[in-house]
Amino acid sequence: DTGVSQDPRHKITKRGQNVTFRCDPISEHNRLYWYRQTLGQGPEFLTYFQNEAQLEKSRLLSDRFSAERPKGSFSTLEIQRTEQGDSAMYLCASSQLDTEAFFGQGTRLTVV
Amino acid sequence: DQQVKQNSPSLSVQEGRISILNCDYTNSMFDYFLWYKKYPAEGPTFLISISSIKDKNEDGRFTVFLNKSAKHLSLHIVPSQPGDSAVYFCAALGGFGNEKLTFGTGTRLTIIP
């Protein structure tokens, strides 16, 4: 296992289009997190799963955002009707219970 | 409401000297603290952590100190090396039902050869 994997690494999309990102966590990790990072800021929490259950969502996660982790393994984050303000680095992390979270390389989204 | 604060956006240190990065927090429910290092265009990499039951944790060149009464922690890197140049994020965890990391805004460390 080579760590948390995210795909794609970069995505450029036109405003109004939908985008979907994928995250493959470290295989034995039951927790999976999504964060967003903009320039000059630290990562901000979006949502997290324990196995397949989505246990918490940030108020940053508007109705246009949806995340799934259907079988408790990989996860997808979809953004509908993208806006320029959605441009950011989207980070996925995974952890086992009560251990540090390990991050993927991130997906950089640019909305033009 | 910034619950984790890193008040120095940048820091430059001579190679071989000690680098000290500081972090303050406001939420007294935080009970576990982590430092992450981030290179451009990559995700954060876990560096070192400390539980609130300790006041010091050491791992090689990296030592984290925690002062609970002052709600302050610091990361010491000694000796500093050019490869340490990166953005360092302080993060906190804890409180009932709080399973998410709260990050500071980061400090860009530059090691001068």
Side-chain angles (χ1 to χ4, degrees):
Chain A
D1 194 345
T2 56
V4 178
S5 175
Q6 290 188 246
D7 183 70
R9 291 290 307 276
H10 304 275
K11 177 72 177 178
I12 300 174
T13 190
K14 290 185 177 180
R15 190 174 52 184
Q17 298 294 304
N18 299 344
V19 294
T20 300
F21 310 141
R22 177 181 170 121
C23 172
D24 287 273
I26 294 171
S27 57
E28 63 267 25
H29 286 182
N30 55 10
R31 286 188 177 169
L32 186 148
Y33 306 81
W34 285 98
Y35 288 82
R36 179 172 69 185
Q37 185 179 16
T38 53
L39 199 63
Q41 300 296 317
E44 294 175 296
F45 170 79
L46 293 178
T47 188
Y48 96 96
F49 294 83
Q50 181 152 321
N51 301 312
E52 65 274 11
Q54 189 173 17
L55 296 186
E56 188 173 348
K57 289 167 58 172
S58 163
R59 61 180 181 274
L60 293 175
L61 217 64
S62 76
D63 291 345
R64 297 184 296 106
F65 288 71
S66 61
E68 293 183 345
R69 193 182 183 196
K71 297 182 181 178
S73 57
F74 74 92
S75 175
T76 57
L77 177 69
E78 181 183 15
I79 308 174
Q80 296 182 325
R81 306 180 303 282
T82 52
E83 301 172 356
Q84 285 189 319
D86 298 332
S87 296
M89 173 79 88
Y90 289 84
L91 295 162
C92 177
S94 70
S95 72
Q96 291 176 304
L97 192 65
D98 294 335
T99 65
E100 59 272 9
F102 291 87
F103 283 81
Q105 303 254 38
T107 294
R108 179 164 293 285
L109 173 67
T110 303
V111 181
V112 297
Chain B
D1 176 26
Q2 192 72 28
Q3 297 187 68
V4 178
K5 300 177 186 178
Q6 293 176 258
N7 292 320
S8 298
S10 63
L11 176 68
S12 295
V13 174
Q14 207 79 32
E15 181 179 359
R17 298 287 188 101
I18 183 170
S19 296
I20 301 176
L21 295 95
N22 293 304
C23 177
D24 297 289
Y25 62 96
T26 58
N27 188 340
S28 57
M29 297 299 290
F30 289 145
D31 58 9
Y32 194 72
F33 303 89
L34 307 90
W35 284 93
Y36 284 85
K37 175 180 178 180
K38 189 178 183 301
Y39 292 118
E42 293 187 10
T45 302
F46 170 73
L47 205 53
I48 192 169
S49 62
I50 188 167
S51 163
S52 60
I53 61 173
K54 294 185 172 184
D55 55 15
K56 178 182 173 181
N57 188 26
E58 200 169 348
D59 184 3
R61 297 185 298 114
F62 303 92
T63 303
V64 56
F65 295 91
L66 175 63
N67 182 334
K68 280 187 67 179
S69 60
K71 295 192 178 67
H72 176 83
L73 62 155
S74 61
L75 174 68
H76 292 211
I77 306 173
V78 57
S80 300
Q81 298 174 354
D84 296 330
S85 295
V87 177
Y88 288 78
F89 290 99
C90 170
L93 190 63
F96 179 75
N98 180 15
E99 307 293 347
K100 60 184 180 290
L101 290 168
T102 301
F103 283 86
T105 52
T107 296
R108 180 177 300 279
L109 176 65
T110 302
I111 306 302
I112 304 164

